[in-house]
């Protein structure tokens, strides 16, 4: 009889493309992965992996079995979801990932409420950008992710996922307190054509959005400094080093020397939502987490 955990290991190698990637995704050592695969080869009497340069590749038999493993594991997920749904309680471990400002802005209150409302649920949170968390949900490495996209730049979403809106997150323009527009009630981004800009790192989803948005308004921004965290961006602005578009979620206290002014276009905002696999849709733990995240998110939404 085929061992489920060994099938899971083979499927992980198929997904990640390497033994080391599978080990990282399964949170085990590469030696443990190799041992599981060797046992699976003995059980099947087939060679499942072959050397490929410095790495490995699946043989024809390995690909065939990995395809079956994907379907078997999906059925196991459905069985677990059905059993949990029949019990009607949010119980067990729930692995979640979320981008940094959601971790800071939503999750402290959400995790505390889940602990009170569902004491048998064990939520586990990892800080992850959407380009990490979406594949992690697809692979089954985590159960649920909180991700974002922008009003004019949707986040590509693979098939087989379900999503639920949590909140819309407005953005403001942050500038030094002595900026010529600091006393305005509202501003348009194109009014900062002559300013130096502080942005997210180049190549990231939010950087691409900023460039698309500003160029769409006829503005070619001069990006002089980049930082992932909004708090770091605000510190640079406080030093008089530029301006930035800063969402409100997870912003915290604005430092002295910084003025934050709303953007006049009310559509200029981030969409924040939860995603999970469709085959886990009936799990009460997923539903409980989404309900709490939405409830907490309503406090922040614009």
């Amino acid at each position: 009889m085929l061992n489920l955990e060994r099938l899971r290991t083979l499927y992980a190698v198929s997904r990640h493309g390497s033994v080391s990637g599978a080990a990282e995704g399964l949170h085990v050592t590469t030696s443990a992965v190799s041992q599981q695969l060797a046992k699976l080869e003995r059980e099947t009497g087939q060679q499942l992996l072959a050397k490929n340069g410095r790495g490995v590749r699946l043989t024809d038999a390995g690909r065939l079995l990995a395809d079956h493993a994907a379907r078997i594991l999906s059925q196991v997920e459905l069985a677990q979801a059905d059993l949990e749904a029949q019990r009607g309680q949010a119980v067990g471990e729930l692995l979640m990932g979320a981008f940094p400002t959601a971790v800071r802005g939503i999750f402290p209150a959400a995790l505390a409420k889940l602990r009170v409302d569902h004491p048998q649920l064990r939520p586990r949170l990892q800080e992850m950008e959407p380009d990490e968390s979406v594949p992690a949900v697809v692979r089954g490495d985590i159960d649920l992710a909180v991700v974002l996209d922008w009003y004019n730049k949707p986040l590509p979403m693979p098939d087989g996922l379900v999503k639920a809106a949590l909140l819309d997150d407005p953005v403001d323009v942050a500038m030094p307190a002595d900026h010529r527009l600091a006393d305005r009630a509202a501003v348009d981004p194109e009014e900062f054509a002559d300013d130096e800009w502080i942005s997210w790192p180049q190549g990231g989803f939010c950087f691409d959005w900023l460039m698309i948005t500003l160029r769409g308004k006829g503005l070619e921004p001069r990006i002089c400094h980049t930082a992932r965290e909004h708090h770091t961006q605000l510190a640079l602005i406080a030093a008089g080093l530029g301006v930035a578009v800063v969402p409100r979620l997870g912003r915290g206290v604005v430092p002295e020397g910084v003025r934050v002014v709303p953007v006049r276009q009310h559509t200029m905002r981030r969409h924040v939502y939860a995603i999970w696999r469709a085959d886990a849709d009936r799990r009460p733990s997923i539903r409980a987490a989404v309900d709490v995240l939405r409830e907490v998110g309503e406090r922040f939404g614009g």
Side-chain angles (χ1 to χ4, degrees), residues 144-194:
L144 180 147
V146 173
V147 299
L148 65 94
D149 62 17
W150 294 88
Y151 73 103
N152 59 347
K153 186 174 173 58
L155 180 69
M157 195 62 56
D159 293 336
L161 298 183
V162 179
K163 71 177 183 178
L166 300 180
L167 68 128
D168 280 354
D169 183 24
V171 301
D172 303 316
V173 177
M175 65 197 79
D178 59 358
H179 193 277
R180 68 187 186 284
L181 302 177
D183 293 329
R184 292 273 293 276
V187 293
D188 293 312
E190 52 264 38
E191 295 181 88
F192 297 88
D194 296 329

Side-chain angles (χ1 to χ4, degrees), residues 44-67:
T44 60
Q46 299 264 18
Q47 182 181 357
L48 303 176
L49 295 178
K51 291 187 179 297
N52 184 29
R54 300 174 67 179
V56 296
R57 62 172 177 82
L58 294 180
T59 63
D60 289 345
R63 286 195 298 270
L64 177 65
L65 188 55
D67 289 342

Side-chain angles (χ1 to χ4, degrees):
M1 183 177 295
L2 294 173
N3 180 280
L4 186 62
E5 285 308 309
R6 288 166 199 155
L7 290 177
R8 194 184 307 277
T9 302
L10 178 67
Y11 181 52
V13 173
S14 173
R15 287 192 330 248
H16 293 279
S18 68
V19 171
S20 59
E24 183 176 351
L26 294 170
H27 307 290
V28 298
T29 65
T30 56
S31 175
V33 170
S34 297
Q35 290 174 17
Q36 289 281 57
L37 293 174
K39 291 178 181 177
L40 188 58
E41 287 186 327
R42 289 197 295 272
E43 288 174 350
T44 60
Q46 299 264 18
Q47 182 181 357
L48 303 176
L49 295 178
K51 291 187 179 297
N52 184 29
R54 300 174 67 179
V56 296
R57 62 172 177 82
L58 294 180
T59 63
D60 289 345
R63 286 195 298 270
L64 177 65
L65 188 55
D67 289 342
H68 281 292
R71 292 190 289 272
I72 292 168
L73 294 170
S74 179
Q75 285 299 120
V76 170
E77 181 80 32
L78 284 169
Q80 291 173 335
D82 284 346
L83 285 171
E84 190 176 323
Q86 186 180 51
R87 187 164 41 190
Q89 295 180 329
V91 299
E93 190 171 67
L94 183 69
L95 302 177
M96 298 182 286
F99 60 96
T101 50
V103 171
R104 186 165 59 244
I106 301 175
F107 272 90
L111 291 172
K113 184 171 177 55
L114 282 172
R115 177 180 292 178
V116 172
D117 293 352
H118 305 282
Q120 296 184 73
L121 183 64
R122 300 189 305 279
R124 301 287 183 266
L125 175 63
Q126 302 176 55
E127 185 176 288
M128 309 169 75
E129 293 290 352
D131 61 351
E132 301 171 297
S133 62
V134 173
V137 172
V138 172
R139 294 192 304 264
D141 295 341
I142 60 176
D143 301 303
L144 180 147
V146 173
V147 299
L148 65 94
D149 62 17
W150 294 88
Y151 73 103
N152 59 347
K153 186 174 173 58
L155 180 69
M157 195 62 56
D159 293 336
L161 298 183
V162 179
K163 71 177 183 178
L166 300 180
L167 68 128
D168 280 354
D169 183 24
V171 301
D172 303 316
V173 177
M175 65 197 79
D178 59 358
H179 193 277
R180 68 187 186 284
L181 302 177
D183 293 329
R184 292 273 293 276
V187 293
D188 293 312
E190 52 264 38
E191 295 181 88
F192 297 88
D194 296 329
D195 286 273
E196 295 181 341
W197 281 79
I198 298 165
S199 171
W200 298 274
Q202 186 172 359
F205 185 78
C206 290
F207 176 90
D208 292 344
W209 165 81
L210 181 65
M211 300 302 291
I212 289 170
T213 301
L214 296 181
R215 286 169 177 168
K217 298 178 181 298
L219 170 61
E220 183 61 36
R222 290 183 292 139
I223 307 294
C224 293
H225 308 288
T226 64
R228 292 187 183 277
E229 288 291 331
H230 297 146
H231 286 180
T232 306
Q233 295 179 9
L234 291 172
L236 294 170
I237 294 167
L241 299 175
V243 302
V245 170
V246 183
R248 296 178 188 175
L249 177 64
R251 181 189 298 169
V253 178
V254 175
E256 292 186 15
V258 176
R259 176 84 164 91
V260 177
V261 181
V263 174
R264 186 171 286 110
Q265 297 101 330
H266 295 297
T267 58
M268 194 167 173
R269 57 187 60 210
R270 304 191 297 182
H271 305 310
V272 180
Y273 46 93
I275 63 170
W276 60 94
R277 294 184 303 282
D279 56 15
D281 195 43
R282 295 185 61 194
R283 289 180 60 187
S285 56
I286 296 280
R287 293 298 175 182
V290 171
D291 289 345
V292 168
L293 288 166
R294 184 180 283 131
E295 179 183 338
V296 174
E298 288 176 353
R299 308 174 194 173
F300 296 92

